[in-house]
Amino acid sequence: MTATHAAPELTARAVLLDMDGTLVNSDAVVERCWRRWADRHGLDFDEVIKVVHGRQGYASMAVLLPGRPMAENHAENREMLAAETADMEGVVPVPGAPAFMAELARLRLPHALVTSADVPLSTGRMAAAGLALPAVRVTAESVGASKPDPEGFLKGAAALGFDPADCVVFEDSEAGIRAGQAAGMRVVGVGPRAAALGPTVHVDDLTRVGVADAGDGLIRLTFG
């Protein structure tokens, strides 16, 4: 494990969890679907894939095709979501995610899913990865702005009943890490994409994260 700042542990009152790249490895599906989209629009896939992680599809399209009417981006995003929801081949949990999620549930520690996926896609991918859905979920339908806007994380904190400063975000992408930071939250960066993005702590995967009930309504997160 490497850390952006020396932080052997963090304490929080709630944990906000991104899905793709953080709990679920869906890279194979994302790459298949976005490669088809890039080919259709004559774009370089290597440049496209740098943009799409963490954002809702319409927001990625707006970056990649500037000046195109947003109505067209939203229409193609609906097609993209349907294609991704129909394709679960290669969707697996990020190492350590099953045990991490099980411990949060067993200890009844406040946590929420905050994802750029919609309800059908997030439900399908979590099931394909063998992960239980948290009771509190903020999905694409719940927000008016995509990450890196902080709206999703702020709504997640509000739904759990905690101040943003009392929450820790788990994220893998630049858009997601920026969203968590903009929400005033500490961020645990997960995986290779997160390493250079300035999270509070960086871990290679969730096998290096411990979670415990610290008492007095606090969650203790350890890294090592």
Side-chain angles (χ1 to χ4, degrees):
M1 185 200 76
T2 58
T4 306
H5 304 292
E9 68 176 51
L10 296 173
T11 56
R13 296 192 180 277
V15 174
L16 303 178
L17 303 158
D18 173 54
M19 181 181 71
D20 293 302
T22 301
L23 299 175
V24 174
N25 183 342
S26 56
D27 282 359
V29 180
V30 171
E31 290 176 9
R32 281 195 294 271
C33 291
W34 280 97
R35 187 179 293 278
R36 289 195 296 267
W37 185 88
D39 290 345
R40 187 186 318 145
H41 291 283
L43 299 175
D44 182 346
F45 171 74
D46 290 337
E47 296 304 312
V48 168
I49 203 65
K50 292 176 184 177
V51 171
V52 303
H53 290 295
R55 290 181 172 87
Q56 291 191 44
Y58 76 85
S60 297
M61 293 170 189
V63 172
L64 293 161
L65 296 174
R68 189 171 79 152
M70 283 302 296
E72 293 184 31
N73 295 332
H74 282 287
E76 278 202 333
N77 186 46
R78 288 191 289 272
E79 296 174 5
M80 180 69 73
L81 286 168
E84 289 186 287
T85 302
D87 184 357
M88 294 292 160
E89 185 177 351
V91 174
V92 295
V94 166
F100 180 67
M101 295 295 287
E103 193 67 358
L104 285 172
R106 185 184 73 81
L107 296 173
R108 298 184 178 180
L109 301 174
H111 63 288
L113 190 72
V114 181
T115 175
S116 293
D118 64 3
V119 168
L121 182 57
S122 58
T123 301
R125 282 187 178 163
M126 291 288 281
L131 300 174
L133 280 165
V136 176
R137 301 184 291 278
V138 179
T139 60
E141 297 93 337
S142 309
V143 297
S146 170
K147 299 172 186 175
D149 190 282
E151 181 185 2
F153 288 123
L154 293 173
K155 284 195 169 181
L160 292 171
F162 296 102
D163 291 334
D166 290 329
C167 299
V168 168
V169 164
F170 281 72
E171 263 287 1
D172 73 298
S173 70
E174 181 174 8
I177 289 171
R178 298 287 175 260
Q181 291 169 336
M185 301 174 183
R186 292 156 294 161
V187 179
V188 177
V190 180
R193 283 190 288 268
L197 298 173
T200 312
V201 177
H202 174 255
V203 292
D204 294 330
D205 58 42
L206 296 175
T207 63
R208 311 301 292 177
V209 181
V211 58
D213 184 343
D216 295 325
L218 291 173
I219 300 166
R220 178 178 292 113
L221 300 165
T222 54
F223 311 94

